[in-house]
Amino acid sequence: MAQKDLHELLRSLRVWEPTVTRLRPFDPETAPPTPLALFTSWFAEAVAAGQPEPHTMSLATADEEGRPDVRIVMLHGADADGWSFATHATSRKGRALSARPYAALAFYWPALGRQVRVRGPVTSAPAKESQADLHARSTGALAAALTGRQSEELSSVAELREASQAAWEQARRHPEAPSPTWTLYRLRPDTVEFFQGDPERRHVRLEYRSTGFGWSRGLLWP
């Protein structure tokens, strides 16, 4: 019965409901020569459109045995050095990136019917830069980092509450407290794809490809 209910619920849903989504025309001929410029523009438009949490993204990695994994993380920045995010080097994703330093990112902004996909090698920033990134964030972010032990098995919610409370107290007393395993990562893209949804399903997909000397561009069938 539960499976039937889920099936019926899925069939009842619409993608890009006109009352909440405004699909915009996208002419790839007018796109800038670099993906970063287009990403910056689309990101600003997502913010202006009221897209909730446009800075969140899916991060896909593979572990040492090649098994894929994906989770939602927050974008810390995007510049000529790549798209950046942070986590503990000892976490599952940190260990996966150590074993296979290549990843993929995906942004989805349903308010505009847009996706951005980024793939490429990942490097870690120096410790000093990673700590500076952490200390530029909120007290809560520092407390979470100081709680540590990300991805380790947890015996109870009470244990988490106790460790988190101690970390919050430390973060408030010492806002520059270090979290040695906290690491800033940068993904330098090989490819960046921009997807603009179309009401007639003639979706536009523009892919930028790194050539080592710049960027080439090409369209993909939807």
Side-chain angles (χ1 to χ4, degrees), residues 170-208:
Q170 183 182 6
R172 292 188 179 105
R173 291 197 310 268
H174 305 290
E176 298 300 318
S179 177
T181 59
W182 186 258
T183 304
L184 181 69
Y185 293 92
R186 288 194 177 89
L187 187 156
R188 184 180 291 273
D190 290 332
T191 62
V192 184
E193 179 193 326
F194 294 85
F195 172 104
Q196 173 62 69
D198 178 86
E200 302 299 327
R201 301 300 190 266
R202 293 187 283 267
H203 314 309
V204 178
R205 295 176 63 189
L206 175 65
E207 184 178 69
Y208 289 78

Side-chain angles (χ1 to χ4, degrees), residues 55-166:
H55 58 317
T56 58
M57 59 189 183
S58 299
L59 166 65
T61 59
D63 65 16
E64 58 274 8
E65 297 181 19
R67 296 173 298 188
D69 205 351
V70 65
R71 75 289 285 167
I72 305 298
V73 299
M74 187 172 70
L75 178 70
H76 282 218
D79 53 30
D81 293 325
W83 275 247
S84 60
F85 57 92
T87 187
H88 289 282
T90 51
S91 68
R92 284 184 180 176
K93 51 187 173 293
R95 297 195 303 269
L97 289 169
S98 177
R100 293 174 179 262
Y102 196 93
L105 308 174
F107 296 85
Y108 180 46
W109 300 319
L112 298 172
R114 287 175 172 174
Q115 298 181 55
V116 181
R117 300 168 61 201
V118 189
R119 294 186 300 172
V122 178
T123 58
S124 56
K128 183 177 181 180
E129 188 175 351
S130 294
Q131 295 303 303
D133 171 79
L134 174 60
H135 294 135
R137 302 177 68 202
S138 66
T139 301
L142 176 59
L146 293 173
T147 301
R149 302 182 64 180
Q150 189 177 51
S151 302
E152 295 182 18
E153 289 193 11
L154 176 67
S155 63
S156 68
V157 174
E159 182 186 16
L160 171 61
R161 186 181 299 112
E162 182 178 351
S164 176
Q165 182 176 346

Side-chain angles (χ1 to χ4, degrees), residues 38-61:
L38 184 56
F39 177 83
T40 302
S41 175
W42 274 27
F43 185 85
E45 290 175 11
V47 173
Q51 173 63 54
E53 301 182 1
H55 58 317
T56 58
M57 59 189 183
S58 299
L59 166 65
T61 59

